[in-house]
Amino acid sequence: FPATAPVKIAVGVNLEGQLVEADLSDPNTCHFLVGGTTGSGKSEFLRSLLLSLIIRHSPKHLKIALVDPKRVTFPEFEEMQWLYAPVVKESDRAIALMDELVTEMESRYQQFEKTGCADLTTYNQTSRQPLPRIVCIFDEYADFMTEKEIRTALELNIKRLGAKARAAGIHLIIATQRPEAKIVTPIIRSNLPGRVALRTASEADSKIILGGTETTAAYLLGKGDLLYQNAAKLQRLQSLLASNIQILST
Ligand SMILES: Nc1ncnc2c1ncn2[C@@H]1O[C@H](COP(=O)(O)OP(=O)(O)OP(=O)(O)O)[C@@H](O)[C@H]1O
Ligand SMILES: [Mg+2]
């Protein structure tokens, strides 16, 4: 797709068998929180989401930042041309990466100001050197939330990016196995508007991901069965599954 094409992620297939996608330039779906118990399908969801992006957008127009503390989610993607930085596996590198994204966001805002553009879409329509969208995909976010210092640093950066990064074309997709109030804090929740709940371990976890009194994620079937929340709308979908991924270098 050309640089000006909307960047959409595949969320899943609905009960009619149609693919449901989310547009990252939409304020309701610009950043995502993904939660679910072990084996519910979070990592597979992230992998198919990532494929849905790179299959349609060239590395010139799209950069991907991957954070993988478990080191098992993205092995096939370690060498791909879309990488914004080498796959991050340690907490200090995760903080550095988020710092870099904040700096990139600020510098983009300055460029937009100089050219009188409100956001990446308008900037890319007029600029001879379009800027790539950057999607940061973070698996097992809770693994980094145990130490207070790291937690504070990460939270601060998520807050900064959550508030302003959409217009700059930078997007966060954050998954966690433990959607407890201590890990998915109000700051994180209020800055990640798009929600995907796979099967949760409890009704309380379901409420944390989907908000309010929504307990239904606790009764999903697992293995990619999910609830997708976009603004006030809740949809039941089946996540895509991509096995045997091979990225060919061109
Ligand atoms: N969309 C899907 N369709 C069919 N099966 C799936 C789907 N997603 C996941 N599964 C099955 O569920 C298993 C677990 O999925 P996955 O590794 O993504 O879980 P997870 O939520 O990341 O678990 P953990 O929290 O332990 O990392 C997969 O190995 C696969 O067999
Ligand atoms: Mg996983």
Side-chain angles (χ1 to χ4, degrees), residues 100-197:
E100 278 166 45
L101 292 176
V102 171
T103 310
E104 176 70 32
M105 173 180 79
E106 300 295 353
S107 105
R108 287 185 175 194
Y109 267 98
Q110 281 169 10
Q111 269 170 278
F112 296 171
E113 203 186 334
K114 272 188 217 148
T115 48
C117 297
D119 56 24
L120 185 82
T121 310
T122 38
Y123 180 85
N124 280 353
Q125 278 161 0
T126 52
S127 169
R128 260 177 292 144
Q129 278 177 312
L131 294 165
R133 259 181 211 276
I134 303 171
V135 182
C136 176
I137 305 177
F138 210 133
D139 199 11
E140 285 313 338
Y141 161 72
D143 283 12
F144 290 153
M145 291 297 275
T146 46
E147 278 173 60
K148 185 150 184 286
E149 258 170 59
I150 297 168
R151 181 165 74 213
T152 317
L154 277 179
E155 248 187 1
L156 180 66
N157 282 340
I158 291 173
K159 188 179 165 188
R160 286 184 182 143
L161 292 167
K164 268 173 62 184
R166 179 187 66 86
I170 300 172
H171 308 277
L172 296 176
I173 296 167
I174 292 182
T176 180
Q177 191 186 94
R178 291 162 43 209
E180 306 144 18
K182 263 209 314 227
I183 309 257
V184 182
T185 61
I187 291 182
I188 288 172
R189 271 190 280 175
S190 59
N191 284 292
L192 305 174
R195 305 294 170 81
V196 169

Side-chain angles (χ1 to χ4, degrees), residues 7 9 24 30 49-50 53 62-66 82 84 101 132-138 169-173:
V7 176
I9 55 169
L24 292 179
C30 53
L49 177 160
L50 170 52
L53 285 169
L62 174 75
K63 288 288 173 222
I64 306 281
L66 297 174
W82 287 262
Y84 176 76
L101 292 176
R133 259 181 211 276
I134 303 171
V135 182
C136 176
I137 305 177
F138 210 133
I170 300 172
H171 308 277
L172 296 176
I173 296 167

Side-chain angles (χ1 to χ4, degrees), residues 61-78:
H61 304 149
L62 174 75
K63 288 288 173 222
I64 306 281
L66 297 174
V67 187
D68 185 10
K70 271 193 171 171
R71 299 157 188 257
V72 293
T73 307
F74 302 114
E76 304 95 329
F77 301 95
E78 302 230 344

Side-chain angles (χ1 to χ4, degrees), residues 33-49:
L33 173 65
V34 180
T37 188
T38 178
S40 60
K42 296 177 298 299
S43 298
E44 293 297 348
F45 172 78
L46 295 179
R47 286 156 53 82
S48 60
L49 177 160

